[in-house]
Every structure is written in C-alpha cells, then in structure tokens.
Amino acid sequence: KNQVEQSPQSLIILEGKNCTLQCNYTVSPFSNLRWYKQDTGRGPVSLTIMTFSENTKSNGRYTATLDADTKQSSLHITASQLSDSASYICVVSARNTGFQKLVFGTGTRLLVSP
Amino acid sequence: KAGVTQTPRYLIKTRGQQVTLSCSPISGHRSVSWYQQTPGQGLQFLFEYFSETQRNKGNFPGRFSGRQFSNSRSEMNVSTLELGDSALYLCASSSRLANQETQYFGPGTRLLVL
C-alpha cells in the first residue's frame, strides 16, 4: 500500500535552533518527493521537489535530502525563525501510470518559540 | 502572475444542503486538483482535472463531484451535506499533471456544516 509517514507529529524548538523533520515512504514506482509548508489557515506552499536522481536540494534555510534506496527523506531547517512555525507536509508522487496520484503525509507541526 | 484563487473563502451550510466551490488556477495552468483537509485526516485527494477531463479520483463518495471549464477554471460540488464534510477545501494548479511537477495551492474554502 502506498503510504507516507512523517515524524515527529509535532515539535517545539527555540528560535535560532536547527531541526530535522523525517519522511518515510512506501510509494512505488517513485517519481518525485515534495516538501510543503502550510501556515495555519492557508494553502500549502512548495519548498522543494526532488526526483529519483537528486539527493539534496536547498531553498534558503530549508534543505531537503532524499535517499531513494531506503525511501527516506528529511527536511532540515537552519537557524529557525518564528515565521517557520507551520505544518510541514511530505508528498510523494508515483510515476504517471494510469490513475496514480500524489500520496500525502499527515504533516509535522512545528512551533518555534521565542 | 496572479496565484490560485478560490471562492468563497468561508461558507456555512446546514445538513442536507448542497454547495459549489470555485477555483481559478494560475494563468496557463491546465491541471486543477481538489483536496479536503481536516485536522484528523490531513490532506486527502478528491480529484484532478486536466483539459476539462477528470484524470484522477480519490476515495470519496459520489456526493462529491467536479468539473473543469475550457478556461481551466474548476468547480467542486458537494450534495446532501453531512456534518463530517466540514473541512478546508483546497484547490491546486499546475501546468502539467499534478504528479509531474510542483502544484500551487489556493488559500482554500473553509466549509462549516451545521
């Protein structure tokens, strides 16, 4: 069964600290993996998208890694800011064969405390 | 470019009523996907339309339906509303099929069913 599991479910860190969010998936055949940031009451915003051949991608203070062999991804946030408080959603896409669709994780809720 | 827009932003209905939500994608985007987001279930895929054709469908009952117009604008309809339909409904657009590239989400329509 195609699944995406994220950990931890929630996380509280102090402003300025780093943190790492995890995503494990069983989606097959794999096409790409995305990380989204969703502020409360708003739609998700794309942070990174990685294909099978990419193992790291950065977007400012956000760095995503992908290990396609172990089917794991992580999102590392450096020097956290209060505005990083949000839910972070991992989404895995299967190759476009028939009615494949995106598989969403349930997200990690991050709170950055002053 | 203007982003994805959704109308209305907020809606209150009663059980048994029906509702129509609207989504205007980013100019030039041909794919529109709809999602339901609830605190307990996270983001769940409803359906995807590409060039006026439904290309993908999630596991929702037939009360949930949609369509896409020639200008790529899309509507989603829910008939015979139930209390459990209370959720944030998100629309996302992309220029190719959703599982092939980054999706851009709208702000969502928050539906409350009383």
Side-chain angles (χ1 to χ4, degrees):
Chain A
K1 184 181 177 185
N2 288 331
Q3 284 188 315
V4 175
E5 294 184 354
Q6 293 187 243
S7 61
Q9 273 192 326
S10 60
L11 184 61
I12 302 174
I13 62 173
L14 291 175
E15 186 179 10
K17 298 296 186 183
N18 304 336
C19 68
T20 301
L21 314 180
Q22 299 290 344
C23 173
N24 297 339
Y25 62 92
T26 58
V27 177
S28 181
F30 177 86
S31 177
N32 58 66
L33 184 146
R34 308 137 191 238
W35 283 94
Y36 285 91
K37 176 188 178 187
Q38 185 176 21
D39 293 312
T40 302
R42 299 192 173 204
V45 174
S46 178
L47 293 175
T48 62
I49 181 169
M50 289 184 291
T51 59
F52 185 88
S53 59
E54 297 173 296
N55 55 25
T56 187
K57 185 165 277 190
S58 292
N59 178 358
R61 295 179 296 101
Y62 301 101
T63 299
T65 64
L66 173 65
D67 185 333
D69 291 331
T70 61
K71 299 187 177 181
Q72 295 180 324
S73 175
S74 65
L75 180 69
H76 186 74
I77 304 175
T78 304
S80 61
Q81 300 176 359
L82 297 179
S83 60
D84 293 331
S85 296
S87 287
Y88 292 84
I89 303 170
C90 175
V91 185
V92 182
S93 165
R95 280 199 295 272
N96 186 28
T97 54
F99 285 95
Q100 295 293 328
K101 53 184 175 287
L102 301 174
V103 185
F104 286 76
T106 53
T108 292
R109 187 178 295 273
L110 174 66
L111 176 63
V112 180
S113 174
Chain B
K1 268 187 180 176
V4 178
T5 58
Q6 292 186 246
T7 58
R9 293 293 313 277
Y10 304 93
L11 203 50
I12 300 176
K13 292 284 189 179
T14 56
R15 278 181 301 174
Q17 288 187 306
Q18 67 93 26
V19 67
T20 299
L21 311 182
S22 181
C23 172
S24 291
I26 291 173
S27 177
H29 283 190
R30 296 163 65 189
S31 164
V32 174
S33 297
W34 287 90
Y35 299 88
Q36 182 195 67
Q37 187 174 38
T38 57
Q41 299 290 325
L43 271 165
Q44 291 187 288
F45 173 75
L46 281 156
F47 28 67
E48 177 185 8
Y49 286 87
F50 187 88
S51 295
E52 301 179 67
T53 303
Q54 187 180 87
R55 293 299 189 94
N56 220 332
K57 190 176 187 305
N59 298 320
F60 277 79
R63 300 186 296 108
F64 292 81
S65 63
R67 59 178 176 167
Q68 186 179 34
F69 302 96
S70 58
N71 61 359
S72 293
R73 190 177 70 84
S74 177
E75 288 182 347
M76 190 192 90
N77 185 276
V78 187
S79 62
T80 320
L81 284 166
E82 301 177 358
L83 296 180
D85 296 333
S86 295
L88 179 67
Y89 289 88
L90 290 161
C91 161
S93 77
S94 56
S95 56
R96 296 193 289 166
L97 288 173
N99 67 344
Q100 294 177 351
E101 66 173 29
T102 297
Q103 290 183 297
Y104 296 86
F105 283 82
T109 293
R110 188 165 294 280
L111 171 65
L112 176 62
V113 182
L114 301 175

